Amino acid sequence: MDPLALVMLSNLLHLHNHLDPTTTATSLFSSPATSATHPLSPSATSSAAPLLFFTIASVLSYATCLRRSSSPSSPSSSSSPSPPSSATATATATTLSAFRALSTGHVWAMELLDHLKTHIIHTDLSLPPDYALSMVLSRLSHGFSTKTLAHRYSLDPYLVSKITNMVTRLLATKLYPEFVKIPVAHSLLQIIHAFRDLTALPNICGAIDGAPVKLNGSNAKDLAAFRCRQGFPAVLLQVVADHRKIFWDVCVRAPGGTDDATHFRDSLLYNKLISAEILKDSVVSVRGHHVRPYIVGDWCYPLMSFLLTPFSSNGTGTPAQNYFDAALMRGRSVATQAIGLLKGRWRILQNLNVGLNHAPQTIVACCVLHNFCQIAGEPELDPSTLFKEPKETGAPAQVLENEKSFYYFGESLRQAIADDLQERQQQRTR
């Protein structure tokens, strides 16, 4: 950065501390009362000094970067600089306005910057962290192509691609462990109780679902192997969501044509569940059966003791089984709604216009951002604007030889829970 700009930033910092020594620029968005409970809780501040400092510092850092990139190459031209063109002035006003709207309209964006800033600073970037992050968020939320965003921000397309890859990689690696977590202890109990209120079924701790993420068809020949059942090239996303539509597991490992059961079996989640490495606490008893926390899915997933699926897809079971299926599908719908919200909020996932090698990290990054928004209390989209997935098709999953013991145990658990549910329903109607 220009030495003069550093001096100016230092003076601004001293001025800010003089005006309000009890706060920092980033603490503008979290008060002591709320930050103690959650780092993403939005709040107000009694002083305008942090906001003043942050706004001026952001504009100054961008102006310095712009000055460096547009400085004349010859001494003669530097002695008599020409005034900026109207196109440059318009581009500058547009980009600053875009960041200002982002920073004031979404409090979580400032918290996200706080989490990523240290990592971004250590990368080789020619843009300030706040400006780079706002550009990437704009691309992910609107689905802009590299060329469109480069024109809008007056940047080189290669730089836009580089910054997008860098920020999504940081989100998918550095922030993933913090915001995508398998529930344990108190958080596990909260999820179980919430699903019980929603479905009347015991010990549900998540809903699993898969969805194809459409790839941009510009390289159709290279993407032929990724064609999904709906006819377009895609990669398969698998998520497990809780009652708040927050993902606690994300997997992107398979081409779009892979069936849900195969994708599930190839995931780390499957290995952890089958080895009882996770979800082994909070065991309850139902009609003499020990029921550990389990997830629910549709008939495209294999029935297991830790993954319960419907008895049938068309309501042809017994009354007890039909009661169970209806309740299970209410729980399973949480994952469907979460994916619809994910694709509606981060529209790049509706037509993923990044290189195939960067597709998985971009999808995972959007899932991390989805959780960030849900935890921060970002208003959800109107149900009518949620992305609608094609209707689920496919045959019920077949049981593998090494899964038969889990299948038979799951079958008996499912029937016991269905009978118990019917009995409780009959008691209520008496």
Side-chain angles (χ1 to χ4, degrees):
M1 182 179 284
D2 192 312
L4 178 59
L6 288 175
V7 173
M8 294 174 71
L9 281 172
S10 177
N11 291 338
L12 280 172
L13 182 58
H14 287 302
L15 173 61
H16 155 70
N17 291 335
H18 174 71
L19 291 175
D20 189 357
T22 61
T23 62
T24 64
T26 54
S27 67
L28 168 64
F29 303 98
S30 59
S31 65
T34 57
S35 61
T37 56
H38 203 283
L40 301 181
S41 301
S43 63
T45 179
S46 60
S47 171
L51 180 59
L52 174 65
F53 170 76
F54 184 82
T55 303
I56 297 177
S58 298
V59 173
L60 180 59
S61 61
Y62 168 73
T64 303
C65 175
L66 185 65
R67 174 184 174 185
R68 184 196 312 149
S69 62
S70 61
S71 60
S73 57
S74 63
S76 59
S77 61
S78 63
S79 60
S80 56
S82 59
S85 66
S86 59
T88 304
T90 301
T92 302
T94 300
T95 51
L96 290 177
S97 175
F99 177 72
R100 193 178 302 115
L102 176 72
S103 59
T104 57
H106 303 281
V107 172
W108 57 265
M110 295 295 94
E111 294 289 351
L112 182 61
L113 176 63
D114 191 40
H115 280 79
L116 286 176
K117 195 167 188 176
T118 303
H119 302 295
I120 296 177
I121 288 174
H122 287 92
T123 59
D124 182 20
L125 275 184
S126 56
L127 288 179
D130 48 11
Y131 192 74
L133 179 60
S134 66
M135 187 198 69
V136 174
L137 291 178
S138 181
R139 183 179 184 189
L140 298 180
S141 62
H142 296 286
F144 293 135
S145 67
T146 300
K147 291 182 179 179
T148 300
L149 209 59
H151 176 73
R152 172 170 294 199
Y153 281 75
S154 301
L155 296 173
D156 183 82
Y158 172 76
L159 182 60
V160 173
S161 180
K162 176 183 176 182
I163 294 171
T164 302
N165 293 337
M166 184 272 296
V167 172
T168 54
R169 185 178 68 252
L170 290 176
L171 287 166
T173 56
K174 301 297 184 181
L175 264 61
Y176 182 92
E178 184 176 353
F179 291 97
V180 184
K181 297 179 180 179
I182 296 174
V184 295
H186 181 64
S187 63
L188 177 61
L189 287 176
Q190 281 185 319
I191 295 172
I192 288 173
H193 292 157
F195 270 111
R196 188 181 184 96
D197 292 339
L198 175 64
T199 66
L201 298 177
N203 256 21
I204 297 178
C205 64
I208 188 170
D209 197 13
V213 177
K214 184 179 180 181
L215 297 169
N216 188 282
S218 58
N219 299 319
K221 294 182 179 179
D222 299 334
L223 299 177
F226 289 80
R227 195 164 299 280
C228 66
R229 292 190 299 271
Q230 288 76 25
F232 52 80
V235 291
L236 195 61
L237 165 67
Q238 173 187 288
V239 300
V240 181
D242 68 13
H243 61 289
R244 298 177 296 170
K245 305 185 188 75
I246 294 176
F247 304 132
W248 57 255
D249 187 81
V250 176
C251 180
V252 186
R253 284 196 168 206
T258 308
D259 62 88
D260 289 340
T262 300
H263 193 200
F264 173 60
R265 290 179 175 121
D266 288 341
S267 68
L268 292 176
L269 176 66
Y270 174 82
N271 293 325
K272 290 179 180 179
L273 287 169
I274 211 164
S275 63
E277 181 181 339
I278 60 173
L279 307 183
K280 52 189 176 182
D281 302 323
S282 304
V283 177
V284 298
S285 179
V286 177
R287 293 178 174 259
H289 294 79
H290 294 293
V291 183
R292 61 185 271 203
Y294 58 90
I295 58 180
V296 294
D298 60 25
W299 50 88
C300 294
Y301 289 93
L303 172 64
M304 303 279 189
S305 56
F306 47 77
L307 198 175
L308 297 190
T309 60
F311 285 94
S312 67
S313 59
N314 53 10
T316 57
T318 66
Q321 292 173 348
N322 291 338
Y323 268 131
F324 174 88
D325 287 353
L328 182 143
M329 294 307 284
R330 284 198 300 274
R332 183 249 178 198
S333 67
V334 170
T336 305
Q337 294 167 11
I339 293 175
L341 180 57
L342 168 75
K343 289 189 175 183
R345 187 178 270 158
W346 306 104
R347 282 177 282 179
I348 194 173
L349 298 184
Q350 298 179 25
N351 189 16
L352 196 56
N353 50 18
V354 301
L356 186 58
N357 292 337
H358 296 117
Q361 76 178 34
T362 305
I363 297 170
V364 174
C366 289
C367 291
V368 172
L369 289 171
H370 167 88
N371 280 8
F372 206 98
C373 292
Q374 290 299 100
I375 295 170
E378 174 77 2
E380 294 185 3
L381 302 176
D382 185 270
S384 62
T385 63
L386 294 179
F387 184 82
K388 301 295 192 299
E389 294 289 343
K391 189 175 181 180
E392 194 74 45
T393 59
Q398 299 298 312
V399 182
L400 302 182
E401 188 66 31
N402 65 322
E403 296 173 342
K404 286 189 174 179
S405 61
F406 296 97
Y407 170 78
Y408 292 133
F409 191 24
E411 198 174 36
S412 61
L413 284 180
R414 185 173 64 176
Q415 188 62 56
I417 294 173
D419 293 337
D420 182 69
L421 176 63
Q422 184 188 37
E423 182 178 328
R424 285 188 280 119
Q425 292 282 358
Q426 290 174 343
Q427 290 175 350
R428 289 196 190 99
T429 57
R430 287 175 185 171

